[in-house]
Amino acid sequence: MRRDAELYSLILLLGVLAVAPLFSTQYTVRLLTVGLLYGLAAVGFNLLYGYTGLLSFGHAMFWSAGAYGLSIGLVRLGLDPLQSIGLAFLLTLVVALATGYLSLRHTEIYFAMLTLAFAQLIYALIIKLRDVTGGDEGIYGIPRPMGLGEYYYLVLAIVASLVLLAWWIVRTPLGLGFQAVRDNSSRAASVGLDVSRVRLVSYVISALYLSVAGMLYAPLNRAITPDIAFWTFSAIIVIMTIIGGVRRVAGAFIGGLIFIFININAMRFTEFWQLILGLILAILVYLAPEGVSGIVEKVVRRVRG
Amino acid sequence: MSGAEEVLVAEDLHKWFGKLHAVDGVSFRLRRGEVLSIVGPNGAGKTTLLNLISGVVKPDAGRVFLRRSGELVDITGRPPHEVTRLGLGRSFQIPNIFDGLTVEENILISLLTRTGRTGVVRRGYRDFPELEEELSEIIETFGLGEVRGRLGSELSHGMRKKLDIAVSFALRPMVLLLDEPTSGLTQGEKRDMVGLIKGLRGGEYSFIIVEHDLDVVREVSDSLIVMHEGRVLAHDEPEKVLQMSEVISAYLGGYHEAIR
Ligand SMILES: Nc1ncnc2c1ncn2[C@@H]1O[C@H](COP(=O)(O)OP(=O)(O)O)[C@@H](O)[C@H]1O
Ligand SMILES: [Mg+2]
């Protein structure tokens, strides 16, 4: 079955990622770690976008809720790691439930604009609440409990579990409900699905994925700045998911991994990297709206005959 | 039939769209096992009436009651997903299915909601053997076997129409509303659909069917309503109403043509 092919691809990819550090420099390992986190973020975002049909333009707020929640706990409040993780989750849930409740009354472009507005509000709050968040300076001296090499494997283990969990979720009755709501929300209601509830569940799960990515990002970088809450980062989350392909969990994951390398290389060679990124995206949307994973699938199908 | 208990009661329903009185004081009672057909020209308010009953549109006045464990319960203004869970299913005039899902998945959603499993995450949606059996039965009944693995978006109009009804039927609703179930179907598909409805008639299920084809109406209905400009012009046994509608058409002018 085609579906299992996705699982095998994911396992293969994760296997490659597990041995990759053996052949990499410190610099590349660091980049790979960010790639994993971007991949995780894209997978989480795509549960809401690709699978539930809601385009959020504010997902940076959940990455930030995780990163800031953890960092505030560790650095400002002097909590232990577990308590700080708890704080980060709590903060994420509060933000997700409040913004979800208010923005999920709308769909499509109105939903996108509302999430964007709420995310910018949170960005403004981060800048304003200088005592807690460090304002535009951010938070420094976030401890990382281990060396970069080991941290990579911690991140890989968590990301792998969550990506496989997402692969599973979309195959459960809950995930089928997401897809029904995406395809046709009025029909979904007329077969007995509580559409608002389904959307909220998807929104919160999606937010938690972003939050975990943000929580893992803070100790990697040892510092966070408000950039991670700015709207451009929300746009990046959207873009990398589309690059990878929204029809599959594996697609979004690959998108995150690819993105970090396009981004770094384009940045290295030209200051017009944002233009290049825009071009790649435009070409992709025109020629391969199903993203990189869609292209791969087509090729594989052709090779098999 | 006349002795069977009432499963659905509509009382003096009204709906305005701006100045248009789309549904104007409609009342009727539907009994268990009954097939009630509704005919009337385009714009008569038939679809709107179904929308009022199923909760898709809220009535401006009037009430809808549905039998629920022995009692008639007021369901007026309840959201569609609640009305569905209380035992009322419907299909749509323009086939309304899940385009990105396969035929099997489309029907499975109904089976999952009906059995209260929509929030389940411990099992895959294809891991319910008891539902798979029922799924195959429904696919067989509706003649969807050849396309069971296809996406909704890949189906012909006729297949979409059947799937739409199969999705509603899989809810095993006490009352099933069908909005023009044979429109756009080939003659053969029409026969199948009539056979299907007749096969289900007289049992636990009750139907309200909006239908233009008077031969179909004659064949399947226990009672017939003629609607015009939001009002019920006649409600009686099909043959009586059809005779009467000849008379009505005489002074409405071309009306009989219109309902064909
Ligand atoms: N949502 C709506 N907004 C405004 N007018 C509507 C709406 N739905 C239906 N109508 C109008 O109400 C009248 C009845 O429509 P409808 O119930 O679809 O008729 P029928 O199904 O009998 O053809 C029509 O004139 C139609 O244009
Ligand atoms: Mg109609």
Side-chain angles (χ1 to χ4, degrees):
Chain A
M1 241 171 81
R2 215 168 73 203
R3 309 239 146 173
D4 283 325
E6 185 181 358
L7 181 61
Y8 297 140
S9 325
L10 271 176
I11 291 172
L12 186 71
L13 185 60
L14 291 166
V16 170
L17 286 164
V19 294
L22 305 178
F23 311 99
S24 308
T25 59
Q26 277 275 86
Y27 173 77
T28 311
V29 171
R30 188 187 185 81
L31 220 55
L32 276 172
T33 318
V34 179
L36 282 173
L37 296 178
Y38 276 20
L40 179 63
V43 166
F45 168 79
N46 201 41
L47 284 176
L48 185 67
Y49 178 54
Y51 283 92
T52 318
L54 288 166
L55 173 57
S56 157
F57 230 86
H59 258 43
M61 66 181 146
F62 305 124
W63 175 294
S64 305
Y68 271 95
L70 183 84
S71 309
I72 289 168
L74 288 173
V75 178
R76 292 278 190 271
L77 305 176
L79 303 177
D80 66 40
L82 265 177
Q83 292 169 325
S84 303
I85 291 169
L87 178 70
F89 273 126
L90 194 69
L91 195 63
T92 307
L93 276 178
V94 170
V95 172
L97 288 172
T99 61
Y101 178 77
L102 292 169
S103 55
L104 285 168
R105 295 150 182 245
H106 304 271
T107 55
E108 298 174 6
I109 193 71
Y110 305 100
F111 173 75
M113 298 310 281
L114 274 170
T115 48
L116 171 63
F118 286 125
Q120 285 302 93
L121 191 75
I122 296 212
Y123 173 74
L125 268 177
I126 290 174
I127 299 284
K128 272 265 174 280
L129 297 175
R130 183 165 279 277
D131 291 343
V132 189
T133 61
D136 39 21
E137 305 263 284
I139 298 176
Y140 289 85
I142 301 158
R144 190 201 310 133
M146 53 192 90
L148 200 58
E150 290 143 332
Y151 195 67
Y152 175 82
Y153 284 101
L154 174 68
V155 169
L156 180 64
I158 295 172
V159 169
S161 324
L162 289 176
V163 169
L164 291 173
L165 178 67
W167 173 89
W168 173 248
I169 288 176
V170 301
R171 281 158 181 77
T172 65
L174 181 74
L176 189 61
F178 291 176
Q179 296 166 67
V181 167
R182 168 199 68 198
D183 275 2
N184 190 336
S185 59
S186 72
R187 191 38 161 147
S190 79
V191 296
L193 282 170
D194 186 342
V195 172
S196 340
R197 181 119 151 240
V198 171
R199 285 188 172 135
L200 186 63
V201 169
S202 172
Y203 186 80
V204 171
I205 293 177
S206 177
L208 290 172
Y209 268 75
L210 269 290
S211 175
V212 171
M215 276 187 235
L216 290 167
Y217 174 77
L220 171 72
N221 220 33
R222 292 219 174 106
I224 51 170
T225 53
D227 307 1
I228 58 168
F230 200 56
W231 72 268
T232 48
F233 188 52
S234 294
I236 284 176
I237 296 167
V238 177
I239 290 170
M240 61 196 187
T241 307
I242 292 174
I243 289 178
V246 301
R247 305 301 300 183
R248 305 239 177 260
V249 170
F253 185 52
I254 291 166
L257 288 168
I258 293 175
F259 179 84
I260 189 77
F261 287 95
I262 300 179
N263 200 13
I264 292 294
N265 286 308
M267 252 161 100
R268 208 186 288 167
F269 294 117
T270 161
E271 50 202 287
F272 298 120
W273 65 273
Q274 281 166 318
L275 191 75
I276 293 187
L277 191 64
L279 270 174
I280 291 178
L281 187 68
I283 291 171
L284 213 64
V285 168
Y286 271 104
L287 298 183
E290 307 221 315
V292 172
S293 65
I295 299 176
V296 172
E297 246 179 89
K298 251 181 222 153
V299 171
V300 169
R301 226 173 291 158
R302 194 156 300 169
V303 170
R304 281 194 186 160
Chain B
M1 184 66 46
S2 54
E5 62 179 0
E6 288 151 347
V7 287
L8 181 90
V9 177
E11 257 178 24
D12 198 25
L13 289 171
H14 289 267
K15 182 67 200 177
W16 278 269
F17 293 115
K19 289 196 166 146
L20 175 74
H21 205 163
V23 172
D24 182 359
V26 171
S27 305
F28 64 84
R29 287 156 183 270
L30 179 74
R31 295 178 181 283
R32 191 178 301 285
E34 180 179 350
V35 178
L36 165 64
S37 290
I38 303 179
V39 298
N42 279 325
K46 306 179 299 291
T47 295
T48 304
L49 177 61
L50 297 193
N51 286 341
L52 296 182
I53 296 169
S54 60
V56 172
V57 172
K58 292 200 187 349
D60 294 314
R63 311 228 67 86
V64 182
F65 299 89
L66 188 69
R67 183 157 308 272
R68 182 76 187 155
S69 50
E71 265 176 85
L72 283 173
V73 179
D74 191 343
I75 59 163
T76 321
R78 293 239 203 148
H81 71 270
E82 284 183 22
V83 173
T84 301
R85 288 179 192 180
L86 288 170
L88 188 134
R90 72 170 293 188
S91 75
F92 294 79
Q93 186 171 343
I94 299 161
N96 203 353
I97 59 176
F98 304 107
D99 276 343
L101 303 180
T102 65
V103 167
E104 290 176 333
E105 289 164 348
N106 264 273
I107 298 170
L108 207 49
I109 292 180
S110 292
L111 299 180
L112 289 165
T113 53
R114 191 192 84 213
T115 53
R117 291 176 164 126
T118 49
V120 172
V121 288
R122 286 168 157 256
R123 278 161 90 179
Y125 61 72
R126 298 310 299 259
D127 300 339
F128 295 92
E130 63 278 31
L131 297 188
E132 290 292 322
E133 203 168 300
E134 191 179 348
L135 176 63
S136 289
E137 258 174 51
I138 294 172
I139 283 175
E140 177 99 352
T141 310
F142 283 84
L144 292 164
E146 304 232 314
V147 294
R148 61 191 299 162
R150 295 256 187 93
L151 292 181
S153 59
E154 297 167 351
L155 302 181
S156 67
H157 175 80
M159 287 293 180
R160 291 172 75 82
K161 201 86 197 174
K162 285 192 203 170
L163 178 57
D164 187 334
I165 297 173
V167 165
S168 311
F169 176 76
L171 297 163
R172 307 272 172 193
M174 188 171 51
V175 178
L176 187 50
L177 316 182
L178 303 178
D179 200 349
E180 306 200 8
T182 69
S183 73
L185 295 192
T186 64
Q187 213 52 39
E189 289 169 335
K190 225 176 223 190
R191 292 315 311 157
D192 292 346
M193 191 69 80
V194 168
L196 249 164
I197 296 168
K198 281 173 78 178
L200 295 167
R201 168 185 173 186
E204 280 299 289
Y205 302 101
S206 310
F207 293 85
I208 299 178
I209 304 177
V210 171
E211 179 57 57
H212 281 300
D213 186 324
L214 296 185
D215 294 328
V216 172
V217 168
R218 270 199 187 87
E219 205 169 338
V220 304
S221 322
D222 298 301
S223 57
L224 176 59
I225 282 179
V226 179
M227 270 185 87
H228 183 58
E229 292 180 345
R231 279 188 297 272
V232 172
L233 292 191
H235 181 186
D236 209 327
E237 284 165 28
E239 277 314 319
K240 286 187 190 161
V241 174
L242 288 172
Q243 276 168 18
M244 203 160 48
S245 76
E246 303 278 342
V247 180
I248 295 168
S249 71
Y251 71 87
L252 282 180
Y255 168 67
H256 196 254
E257 280 311 302
I259 63 176
R260 275 180 174 271

